[in-house]
Amino acid sequence: MNPAGGVNPEAVRTFLEAPRPVALLQLWQAWLHSPECNDLRLMPGLQSEGEWRNDPIQARQAMLDFLATVPPETWWSLSAFVHAIQQHHPGFQRPANDFDSWYLRDVESGAYLRGIEHWDAVDGALLRYLISGPLRHLGLVQVALPAQGEEPTAFRWSSWAGALLRGTPPQGLPAEEERLHATSSGRVFAPPGVPRAVRYQIARFCTWEGTKAAAYAYRITPQSLERARAQGLEPRHLLQLLARHARQVPPTLQRAIQQWGQHGTQARLQHAVILRLRSPEVMDKVRKSKAARFLGEPLGPTSVLVRQGAEEKVLEILAELGYLGEVV
């Protein structure tokens, strides 16, 4: 971040272009030493209230000290690990073992979690969150799940943990050498092995669609191209990016991007309410009635668009004219 609180473009560029092991080390150290990234206040299921302060760096360091007792290459019960800390070091993140000063509320029940009787719901939950969340995502630990989508029950150190804890880039990370996969439907898929800088650049032109088939999924849309243009990025830049980093670019996709750059959006889909009448004579009467202000573009001699939300008004006016209608 720059002094004004915004993103530092040069720092972002340096990170995205760094070798993958170096970038992972940078992420790990940035999180480990960040007072702004407050894990307790970010933890799902809890809502913090008031002006009390906690020290996230102290909590992380205490957790790492506890984890240092776990042998390498050994699966360890997560619940047993948390229980041991509860028994021997319950105040690991609490100044002077004060369990009453922090105002934390359970989001689901609305109950305030003050007092040591709520240790597992706050302090224990933080330990579970740190191991199954940040430490897992930053490559320090692996976790075991009973089934897909369930909470982890065990963990162990990863093969990268030793290097990261020593402050050196880990070895053995796969190289970022994969290419984008662009489809004729306007979707772009980026496997995890696509360079981070390329994923960042393609995201600036696209709408995010989540992950699909072990790849990050994006979609090129008029809205995403407009957003890119507002940042000074033109369709030709997208075509150059795809030409350099995609396996191939379908000709129809190239034409669609080029034509959008020249003519803007050329097709739109919209939800519409259509009024269909029995004859042109009835249409003429309706257009001369109070319903006219609710009607839009004609679609034919007996069909016309109706403004969204005006269905009931139009039906009432039709009834006054002697025509009973229905919404289907």
Side-chain angles (χ1 to χ4, degrees):
M1 306 293 284
N2 58 32
V7 175
N8 185 327
E10 276 308 310
V12 172
R13 178 189 294 273
T14 300
F15 170 75
L16 292 175
E17 294 179 350
R20 201 174 186 186
V22 174
L24 180 58
L25 177 62
Q26 290 175 350
L27 275 180
W28 157 247
Q29 292 184 330
W31 173 77
L32 183 63
H33 302 297
S34 170
E36 289 82 13
C37 184
N38 194 324
D39 306 295
L40 183 63
R41 291 180 182 265
L42 294 172
M43 194 164 57
L46 290 185
Q47 180 177 336
S48 62
E49 298 179 358
E51 299 299 322
W52 54 271
R53 293 179 178 274
N54 66 307
D55 187 344
I57 298 177
Q58 173 189 324
R60 293 177 198 132
Q61 190 55 58
M63 180 198 59
L64 289 176
D65 291 341
F66 302 143
L67 285 171
T69 63
V70 176
E73 301 181 8
T74 301
W75 285 103
W76 208 262
S77 166
L78 182 55
S79 60
F81 177 78
V82 172
H83 180 71
I85 295 173
Q86 182 180 18
Q87 294 299 307
H88 302 289
H89 305 282
F92 71 94
Q93 66 165 341
R94 305 275 187 161
N97 285 329
D98 180 2
F99 286 86
D100 296 309
S101 299
W102 296 354
Y103 284 84
L104 291 164
R105 190 156 56 88
D106 182 87
V107 172
E108 185 174 344
S109 68
Y112 284 97
L113 306 176
R114 296 175 63 195
I116 197 168
E117 62 270 22
H118 295 294
W119 188 93
D120 191 64
V122 177
D123 306 77
L126 177 65
L127 292 169
R128 290 188 289 270
Y129 169 72
L130 291 175
I131 291 174
S132 61
L135 288 189
R136 175 189 181 186
H137 298 313
L138 291 169
L140 271 290
V141 301
Q142 297 173 313
V143 298
L145 289 71
Q148 189 68 29
E150 295 189 15
E151 293 298 318
T153 56
F155 67 93
R156 69 177 179 183
W157 290 111
S158 75
S159 59
W160 305 332
L164 291 170
L165 292 170
R166 291 192 301 271
T168 59
Q171 302 299 311
L173 274 74
E176 294 178 313
E177 298 175 341
E178 293 190 69
R179 300 180 70 81
L180 298 169
H181 173 53
T183 71
S184 57
S185 65
R187 286 183 168 84
V188 180
F189 297 95
V194 170
R196 280 160 288 121
V198 175
R199 299 206 307 263
Y200 166 74
Q201 292 170 31
I202 201 68
R204 299 181 72 187
F205 288 100
C206 299
T207 297
W208 169 249
E209 290 197 332
T211 55
K212 298 179 181 179
Y216 305 108
Y218 305 90
R219 186 171 187 175
I220 302 168
T221 67
Q223 294 83 358
S224 67
L225 293 176
E226 286 284 5
R227 186 177 64 246
R229 177 169 278 174
Q231 301 174 54
L233 301 172
E234 294 295 334
R236 69 177 185 277
H237 299 137
L238 173 57
L239 289 171
Q240 292 167 1
L241 178 66
L242 292 173
R244 287 196 304 269
H245 298 288
R247 301 172 195 167
Q248 60 180 10
V249 185
T252 53
L253 179 59
Q254 293 186 48
R255 286 198 300 273
I257 295 171
Q258 290 168 344
Q259 290 185 21
W260 185 91
Q262 296 168 1
H263 308 293
T265 302
Q266 295 180 289
R268 286 186 173 87
L269 289 176
Q270 66 182 70
H271 294 283
V273 177
I274 300 173
L275 174 63
R276 300 186 188 278
L277 298 169
R278 186 186 62 206
S279 67
E281 291 75 23
V282 176
M283 176 66 76
D284 186 56
K285 291 181 181 180
V286 172
R287 282 202 168 277
K288 292 177 180 177
S289 72
K290 294 183 295 183
R293 67 180 184 274
F294 300 117
L295 304 182
E297 181 182 349
L299 302 177
T302 59
S303 301
V304 64
L305 291 176
V306 176
R307 282 169 40 191
Q308 291 287 341
E311 297 92 331
E312 289 301 322
K313 287 287 186 183
V314 171
L315 287 175
E316 290 175 6
I317 296 170
L318 285 171
E320 293 172 1
L321 294 174
Y323 306 108
L324 295 179
E326 62 180 349
V327 177
V328 295

